[in-house]
Amino acid sequence: MSELVAPAKINLALVVGPAGASGKHEVTTVLQRVGLADRIALEPAPRLRVDGFDDDTLVGAALEVIAEAAGTEPRWAVRIGKEIPVAAGLGGGSSDAAAALLLANATLDSPLGPDRLHALAAGLGADVPFFLTAGPQLGEGDGSTLTPLELPQHHTVLIHLENGSAKASTAAVYAAFDERDGARGYEERSARLLGALAAGDLAALPPNDLASSPLADELRALGAFRADVTGAGPAVYALFEDPAAAAEAKEHLRGRGRVWIVPTAW
């Protein structure tokens, strides 16, 4: 049996533009892995089986598409050890699918190359290709066109998921974005994002275009130099230079939801 850690991600910035002919919105986003993770274990089996998470769709789909691409049958058994909260904007399903692709590919007599794996991953979801390689990345196009970034990796990350919070469907989030003409000014916001990256100033990155939370202001008042919603939410993250300040913020949030304090990197 082989195993991989499947880390969560946060969007350090998410700027959204208009929908293209494909119906997908153009985005400019900064993706960062964090130390909250699932574990994916895979071994050969007579038939495809996914255990450990009854609501899985992406891992099973990932194994089917890589088997088809390799001209074989999906004869793998996978166990998902879930730690990343579901439908929170943290990319757990996408990370699990990427880990499954990598594990299954390693078992093939003729493993697929990186470009083919990237294409398969992009077909599963815009976030999946990000998890195939380590390190922070700039996502453009639909989010699956990736460029490695050199970003500081010493920050402490606090992630908060409020009690009773629930993510609206991705389609509903984008529909609301379109209804409020959210794409207006996309080019300027994208340029601001790229300028902040060039200056190495994560605090100057523009806020998330899809979702916001008053908790972000609260966390900045508690010492975070950046705080925002990740993805389409509802999880909120905060970056701290001082681990003690992150610990104090966690105490401040006691009783209001689930809180994780994790490193960047991965």
Side-chain angles (χ1 to χ4, degrees):
M1 178 177 288
S2 53
E3 184 174 307
L4 279 177
V5 171
K9 61 83 182 170
I10 55 175
N11 295 83
L12 293 178
L14 176 57
V15 173
V16 182
S22 67
K24 296 180 179 180
H25 288 71
E26 186 173 358
V27 304
T28 308
T29 185
V30 180
L31 298 156
Q32 169 70 60
R33 296 179 180 215
V34 297
L36 171 64
D38 295 341
R39 287 191 173 272
I40 308 299
L42 176 145
E43 62 184 349
R47 60 178 178 82
L48 177 61
R49 190 177 78 247
V50 180
D51 297 320
F53 179 51
D54 292 342
D55 293 332
D56 169 70
T57 56
L58 274 178
V59 168
L63 295 176
E64 289 174 349
V65 298
I66 193 171
E68 181 179 3
T72 187
E73 294 296 319
R75 296 191 177 98
W76 298 290
V78 176
R79 175 162 291 278
I80 302 173
K82 287 298 291 182
E83 294 292 339
I84 303 170
V86 177
L90 295 164
S94 295
S95 188
D96 294 350
L101 284 176
L102 291 169
L103 288 168
N105 195 49
T107 71
L108 298 175
D109 292 337
S110 298
L112 306 181
D115 290 346
R116 187 72 178 111
L117 275 184
H118 185 283
L120 294 179
L124 293 165
D127 281 344
V128 181
F130 164 68
F131 292 104
L132 292 175
T133 56
Q137 298 176 64
L138 177 71
E140 297 176 284
D142 69 352
S144 64
T145 300
L146 299 167
T147 304
L149 294 171
E150 292 289 337
L151 297 180
Q153 297 293 289
H154 61 274
H155 307 310
T156 298
V157 183
L158 180 149
I159 298 170
H160 179 266
L161 188 59
E162 185 179 8
N163 287 332
S165 61
K167 178 183 177 181
S169 72
T170 300
V173 171
Y174 275 99
F177 174 82
D178 290 336
E179 287 172 8
R180 64 177 183 268
D181 195 20
R184 183 187 297 272
Y186 168 67
E187 291 81 6
E188 291 81 4
R189 294 193 305 280
S190 182
R192 178 182 165 194
L193 182 158
L194 295 175
L197 286 178
D201 187 358
L202 298 184
L205 290 167
N208 187 324
D209 274 355
L210 289 182
S212 62
S213 171
L215 180 59
D217 292 332
E218 192 174 342
L219 287 164
R220 283 189 289 270
L222 291 167
F225 70 88
R226 179 162 184 81
D228 206 346
V229 176
T230 178
V236 175
Y237 72 87
L239 304 183
F240 291 85
E241 295 282 6
D242 181 4
E248 290 177 6
K250 179 178 181 179
E251 184 62 26
H252 176 81
L253 294 170
R254 181 183 295 275
R256 294 169 56 178
R258 300 171 69 187
V259 182
W260 298 262
I261 293 181
V262 295
T264 55
W266 299 82

